[in-house]
Amino acid sequence: MADLEENARRKAAGKKDILISPIAMEMVRQIDALFEIERTIAGLGAEERRAHRRQHSAPLVEALEVSMRDACAKLSRSHDLFKAMNYMLKRWPSFTRFLDDGRVCLSNNAAERALRGIALGRKSWLFCGSDRGGQRAAAMYSLIVTAKMNDVDPQAWLADVLSRIAAHPAHRLDELLPWNWAPRTGAAQAA
């Protein structure tokens, strides 16, 4: 909507600024206020975040929706700003989901960072050798990401599990899953 960073880059390069709409600036200001609230509740429990959001963010979200609908009524349907705001308004229930669930983030940055490895590796994975090789690569990637999501070092987990899985009782394989795994102690490794 309002690319302030692009204007800063253009200014540093000695180029002319891009005209930024006052409407876009106002929408960005309102969204920034929501992110400021998020910074103040970072690290709180899900229920505390939900309560804080219901009290402080919900009125700002309502005002943002009204501002966007009013602005859209004044803009041409072909205007880029109208398209951007209309895109968000069509997805309003998804956007406002964070107000009702303290586990949900206002932004999707964490999800995008988690998917970055997939996007970067896509070209490499085209040449897994075969369909079966691709399936194995996908299984390994799933295991590694699952370990990371459970705050487990994937390399340590895989090395430990591979070293003891052959002798591990089949009815207790769930103990080796990343969310249940505990590294062996020095005495257990020696045995």
Side-chain angles (χ1 to χ4, degrees):
M1 284 197 306
D3 198 341
L4 300 175
E5 289 180 10
E6 176 62 23
N7 264 353
R9 284 190 293 272
R10 291 178 67 81
K11 189 173 187 174
K15 296 180 181 177
K16 187 177 176 185
D17 285 355
I18 299 170
L19 183 63
I20 297 176
S21 163
I23 296 171
M25 289 297 297
E26 175 57 24
M27 297 305 137
V28 168
R29 188 194 62 73
Q30 290 182 35
I31 292 169
D32 281 347
L34 290 171
F35 277 103
E36 184 58 37
I37 291 170
E38 289 299 301
R39 283 188 281 278
T40 66
I41 61 174
L44 297 179
E47 197 51 43
E48 291 172 293
R49 282 195 305 275
R50 188 191 69 75
H52 195 85
R53 288 171 176 167
R54 297 297 295 159
Q55 182 179 0
H56 300 284
S57 298
L60 297 179
V61 168
E62 289 174 22
L64 176 63
E65 182 180 19
V66 169
S67 296
M68 285 185 155
R69 291 196 186 281
D70 288 347
C72 282
K74 297 173 186 171
L75 293 170
S76 163
R77 291 183 163 272
S78 62
H79 196 284
D80 287 340
L81 188 55
F82 173 88
K83 291 176 185 176
M85 288 189 294
N86 195 45
Y87 177 89
M88 186 168 178
L89 289 169
K90 284 183 178 179
R91 290 153 183 81
W92 200 255
S94 297
F95 167 65
T96 59
R97 178 80 175 110
F98 81 102
L99 295 172
D100 298 319
D101 189 341
R103 299 170 301 167
V104 176
C105 293
L106 177 58
S107 77
N108 67 344
N109 290 344
E112 288 188 10
R113 276 193 305 275
L115 292 172
R116 175 180 269 163
I118 294 170
L120 294 175
R122 196 174 339 184
K123 286 185 182 177
S124 301
W125 298 332
L126 284 174
F127 306 102
C128 289
S130 65
D131 287 346
R132 195 165 148 200
Q135 290 169 349
R136 286 182 180 162
M140 289 303 297
Y141 191 75
S142 295
L143 291 171
I144 290 167
V145 170
T146 301
K148 286 180 181 179
M149 288 176 65
N150 286 280
D151 295 322
V152 172
D153 175 22
Q155 186 174 1
W157 172 73
L158 278 170
D160 182 55
V161 168
L162 291 174
S163 71
R164 63 173 156 157
I165 196 165
H168 198 80
H171 68 281
R172 290 185 15 222
L173 283 177
D174 62 312
E175 295 171 2
L176 301 179
L177 296 172
W179 51 88
N180 293 332
W181 176 77
R184 287 192 287 186
T185 61
Q189 285 178 335

